[in-house]
């Protein structure tokens, strides 16, 4: 058979050499496409790094989608996959199916996101697709992936909830992938509350059937969300959990860097983005290496800017604290000097008043000398008491003014 002769090279290719493997698989895929032949072999694994047959099929369908990016092509791809994906003897066949389906549907959607189909085109294609829930699921996931890649939040919500193609997926609509898509649409929409979006996210995140692609959708939802309180912390914590489970996934490490950056943990964010760049594969047509690298480098620049601003803010904060402390010391000295000055003035005025009144009492009036002395003593006692009260009140007033202010937030009174 012609197809078998074209694919014979896949049996001899060295899987240890990733570049050679990628080149041969790409050439075989193009030969199949040029001859109008679909891949004749069966798929027995989900190993996109070392299985030449899966890699070749991936390249073939990628070319098909680039030539005709439509849900009809998605239906053809799903039909081929269900016919050629063999069940594994160890019981992992279903897991392989989910991995390949989600990777292909969402990945092909991303690379063809600039050819989004209208609702009318989707409705016209439904008549050819709705006969199988499996095929409808793949096609719906492909179109939803385009809406997600283009950040069409409200359109995605409407498509997942009410389109004929999505309804034809049957039980798949309640699965974690579709729930994660709903969460993505909810977080990005300004018509849906953050609480509802977070509830959808939790349902997808903690589902026993969640896959790596479910996690990717959840982290993408948090990253693309309309800003909300606690966004950085939530993205950081979820991305850290995902990166711990899939440590070689550069995209999860990138999401971690984004969460750390939002949380203003710039040193840790810089470490994470450098790791994401190191993990980013330098080969492969699916990964869009140049585009991802550009995105990661742009994020690294933002992190460096944030780190520099943080250092400048910290320096300004220290300078402000020093100036504030110096001001408080000067104010305390002025208040202390004022306190002493007022005390001296009060005593001086009281003494003058006492002397004047004593002279008047001593040299004027008809009172006996003893009565005059008693009156002078009484008057002195009253003045002394009044002076003491005046001095004590002044001391309390100045002491109140010296109470420490609340912790300053910076020169402009705003939190860093």
């Amino acid at each position: 058979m012609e197809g078998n002769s074209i694919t014979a090279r896949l049996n001899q290719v060295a899987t240890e050499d990733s570049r050679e493997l990628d080149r041969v698989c790409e050439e075989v895929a193009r030969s199949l496409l040029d001859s109008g032949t679909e891949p004749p072999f069966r798929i027995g694994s989900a190993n996109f790094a070392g299985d030449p047959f899966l890699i070749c099929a991936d390249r073939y369908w990628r070319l098909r989608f680039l030539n005709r990016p439509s849900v009809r092509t998605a239906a053809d791809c799903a039909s081929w996959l269900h016919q050629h994906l063999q069940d594994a003897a160890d019981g992992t066949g279903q897991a392989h199916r989910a991995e390949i389906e989600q990777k292909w549907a969402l990945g092909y959607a991303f690379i063809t996101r600039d050819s989004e189909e209208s609702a009318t085109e989707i409705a016209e294609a439904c008549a050819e697709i709705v006969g199988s829930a499996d095929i409808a699921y793949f096609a719906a996931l492909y179109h939803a992936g385009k809406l997600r890649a283009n950040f069409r939040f409200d359109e995605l919500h409407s498509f997942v909830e009410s389109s004929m193609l999505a309804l034809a997926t049957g039980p798949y609509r309640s699965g974690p992938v579709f729930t994660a898509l709903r969460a993505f649409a909810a977080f990005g929409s300004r018509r849906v509350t953050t609480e509802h979006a977070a509830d959808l996210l939790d349902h997808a995140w903690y589902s026993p059937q969640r896959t790596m692609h479910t996690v990717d959708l959840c982290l993408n939802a948090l990253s693309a969300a309309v800003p909300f309180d606690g966004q950085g912390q939530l993205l950081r914590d979820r991305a850290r959990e995902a990166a711990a489970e899939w440590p070689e996934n550069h995209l999860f490490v990138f999401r971690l860097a984004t969460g750390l950056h939002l949380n203003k943990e710039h040193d840790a964010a810089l470490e994470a983005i450098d790791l994401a760049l190191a993990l980013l594969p330098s080969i492969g047509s699916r990964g869009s290496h140049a585009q991802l690298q550009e995105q990661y480098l742009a994020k690294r620049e933002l992190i460096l800017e944030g780190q520099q601003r943080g250092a400048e803010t910290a320096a300004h904060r220290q300078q402000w604290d020093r100036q504030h402390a110096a001001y408080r010391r000067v104010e305390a000295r002025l208040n202390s000097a004022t306190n002493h000055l007022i005390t001296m003035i009060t005593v001086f005025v009281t003494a003058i008043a006492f002397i004047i009144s004593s002279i008047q009492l001593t040299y004027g009036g008809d009172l006996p000398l003893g009565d005059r002395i008693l009156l002078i003593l009484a008057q002195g006692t009253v003045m002394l008491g009044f002076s003491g009260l005046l001095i004590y009140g002044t001391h309390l007033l100045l002491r109140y003014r010296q109470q420490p202010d609340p912790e300053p937030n910076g020169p402009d009174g705003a939190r860093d």
Side-chain angles (χ1 to χ4, degrees), residues 164-239:
M164 184 181 299
L165 183 58
L167 294 174
T169 62
Y172 288 106
R173 290 186 67 244
S174 60
V177 172
F178 266 77
T179 304
L181 286 169
R182 291 189 183 93
F184 180 89
F187 270 116
S189 175
R190 299 183 183 275
R191 304 177 184 177
V192 183
T193 64
T194 301
E195 291 75 15
H196 177 66
D199 184 62
L200 289 171
L201 186 83
D202 286 342
H203 276 82
W205 188 268
Y206 294 111
S207 171
Q209 289 81 40
R210 83 170 188 181
T211 62
M212 182 179 67
H213 302 286
T214 304
V215 172
D216 177 44
L217 286 170
C218 289
L219 295 179
N220 193 190
L222 290 173
S223 180
V226 175
F228 63 91
D229 291 339
Q231 178 185 10
Q233 180 178 354
L234 185 58
L235 176 58
R236 177 199 63 190
D237 294 344
R238 294 295 172 86

Side-chain angles (χ1 to χ4, degrees), residues 13 41 59-60 98 104 110 152 163 204 214 273 319 363 365 405:
V13 64
F41 47 76
R59 299 292 186 274
Y60 170 83
W104 279 9
F110 180 79
R152 303 284 294 276
S163 74
T214 304
I273 197 64
Q319 182 180 5
Y363 297 101
D405 293 337

Side-chain angles (χ1 to χ4, degrees), residues 16 84 176 296:
E16 297 81 9
H84 292 81
Y296 291 7

Side-chain angles (χ1 to χ4, degrees), residues 180-396:
L181 286 169
R182 291 189 183 93
F184 180 89
F187 270 116
S189 175
R190 299 183 183 275
R191 304 177 184 177
V192 183
T193 64
T194 301
E195 291 75 15
H196 177 66
D199 184 62
L200 289 171
L201 186 83
D202 286 342
H203 276 82
W205 188 268
Y206 294 111
S207 171
Q209 289 81 40
R210 83 170 188 181
T211 62
M212 182 179 67
H213 302 286
T214 304
V215 172
D216 177 44
L217 286 170
C218 289
L219 295 179
N220 193 190
L222 290 173
S223 180
V226 175
F228 63 91
D229 291 339
Q231 178 185 10
Q233 180 178 354
L234 185 58
L235 176 58
R236 177 199 63 190
D237 294 344
R238 294 295 172 86
R240 182 172 286 154
E241 179 183 337
E245 186 171 353
W246 291 280
E248 300 300 318
N249 190 303
H250 58 87
L251 189 56
F252 292 169
V253 180
F254 170 72
R255 301 296 186 202
L256 174 59
T258 302
L260 291 166
H261 181 219
L262 288 174
N263 222 38
K264 297 185 178 180
E265 300 177 41
H266 302 301
D267 293 341
L270 183 61
E271 182 179 352
I273 197 64
D274 286 341
L275 177 58
L277 283 164
L279 292 173
L280 184 63
S282 58
I283 62 169
S285 56
R286 167 183 293 278
S288 303
H289 173 268
Q291 189 175 47
L292 287 173
Q293 186 181 57
E294 181 180 354
Q295 182 181 3
Y296 291 7
L297 289 173
K299 176 61 68 176
R300 191 178 192 276
E301 288 298 319
L302 290 176
I303 292 171
L304 288 173
E305 290 177 9
Q307 190 179 47
Q308 182 177 0
R309 286 196 303 269
E312 293 174 352
T313 300
H316 291 160
R317 176 67 176 273
Q318 291 178 356
Q319 182 180 5
W320 167 258
D321 288 343
R322 288 194 297 268
Q323 292 176 348
H324 185 74
Y327 165 77
R328 297 301 295 169
R329 289 193 297 269
V330 171
E331 184 183 34
R333 288 197 296 269
L334 288 175
N335 287 336
S336 177
T338 301
N339 191 5
H340 295 318
L341 180 60
I342 291 177
T343 300
M344 292 174 62
I345 292 174
T346 301
V347 172
F348 180 75
V349 171
T350 302
I352 294 298
F354 178 73
I355 291 171
I356 293 174
S357 61
S358 298
I359 293 174
Q360 291 176 346
L361 289 173
T362 302
Y363 297 101
D366 300 327
L367 291 175
L369 180 60
D371 293 339
R372 291 181 184 181
I373 293 174
L374 290 175
L375 186 59
I376 290 172
L377 291 175
Q379 187 179 28
T381 302
V382 171
M383 288 186 175
L384 184 62
F386 175 76
S387 300
L389 288 175
L390 184 59
I391 293 171
Y392 181 69
T394 303
H395 173 72
L396 290 179

